[in-house]
Amino acid sequence: MEESLSEEPVLPSAQGEEDHPSLALANSAIALPGGHTVDLLGTPARANRWLTDRGLAPVDAGMREMCAAQLRSLREQIRSLFASRAEGLPALPAAVAAVNDAMTRVPTAPLLQWDEKNGPYRATPHPTTAIVDHALAALAADAADLLTSPDAERLTACGSTPCNRYLLRHGRRHWCSTRCGDRARAARAYARRTRPGTN
């Protein structure tokens, strides 16, 4: 049984997260050694902080559980798409539909507005109740951009067990962090030392 940790680990960003917030979203549920997990979106407050840190919501957005659940759901669909792309497998239609739904849930063009004081003008609606929809649309659009860009060729899962994060491979590096690289190298060295028939 997996145990959830209440403290957030201090992990460096995986390669590519700075340029692709959808990659950071996919990596927001972190598997740690010993069967531990950390979900950076596990509570409404954590989800609000995660969005705020990426400029996708104000500090005082007042995130509710339903909104955090929508964000976690999109994360799983994006993870599914990243896994399909990294492994060269067909994508699940439900994952593609979820990303498309998130992208089209909010208007992208400024709509015509009209009020008595200012008369007609165009503005993109962004009421407080639509903050999460706008964040979901931005994250979904970023995932679609990443999956259709040349960077998609570099998309890979971290090569260190039990890590579940994704990264954009740089050179031969297949680990999301130095910590994971050290763990993978130590596991390989241990396997060589304990292999039957070796002294």
Side-chain angles (χ1 to χ4, degrees):
M1 180 175 156
E2 284 191 354
E3 179 184 337
S4 235
L5 295 176
S6 58
E7 295 178 13
E8 292 181 19
V10 178
L11 293 174
S13 296
Q15 182 76 28
E17 283 186 19
E18 298 84 10
D19 298 324
H20 296 284
S22 62
L23 192 57
L25 177 65
N27 292 338
S28 64
I30 306 162
L32 300 171
H36 299 288
T37 60
V38 174
D39 188 346
L40 303 179
L41 310 174
T43 66
R46 280 185 171 191
N48 202 135
R49 185 175 339 122
W50 190 90
L51 289 172
T52 299
D53 290 348
R54 282 148 191 86
L56 295 169
V59 173
D60 61 349
M63 194 74 56
R64 301 280 188 232
E65 177 54 33
M66 182 182 78
C67 299
Q70 288 178 317
L71 194 57
R72 290 189 299 266
S73 177
L74 182 63
R75 171 182 64 198
E76 295 314 309
Q77 300 299 342
I78 288 174
R79 284 186 60 77
S80 171
L81 293 172
F82 286 178
S84 294
R85 182 65 172 96
E87 296 166 17
L89 299 172
L92 293 173
V96 173
V99 167
N100 286 333
D101 178 60
M103 284 193 294
T104 58
R105 192 178 299 178
V106 295
T108 56
L111 302 179
L112 178 63
Q113 306 287 327
W114 202 301
D115 65 41
E116 290 183 27
K117 180 180 175 189
N118 298 319
Y121 64 97
R122 291 184 69 182
T124 303
H126 195 352
T128 303
T129 56
I131 289 172
V132 173
D133 285 343
H134 281 269
L136 293 173
L139 291 163
D142 181 72
D145 289 344
L146 173 56
L147 288 166
T148 58
S149 76
D151 281 343
E153 294 296 324
R154 300 187 305 130
L155 183 64
T156 189
C158 181
S160 178
T161 304
C163 187
N164 63 339
R165 299 200 313 163
Y166 287 91
L167 66 139
L168 294 181
R169 194 173 47 252
H170 181 70
R172 293 178 47 204
R173 182 178 171 176
H174 287 267
W175 303 293
C176 69
S177 66
T178 303
R179 179 192 65 138
C180 281
D182 291 346
R183 191 170 53 239
R185 284 187 285 276
R188 281 198 309 264
Y190 178 77
R192 281 193 301 270
R193 283 194 313 273
T194 58
R195 189 176 303 135
T198 59
N199 292 345

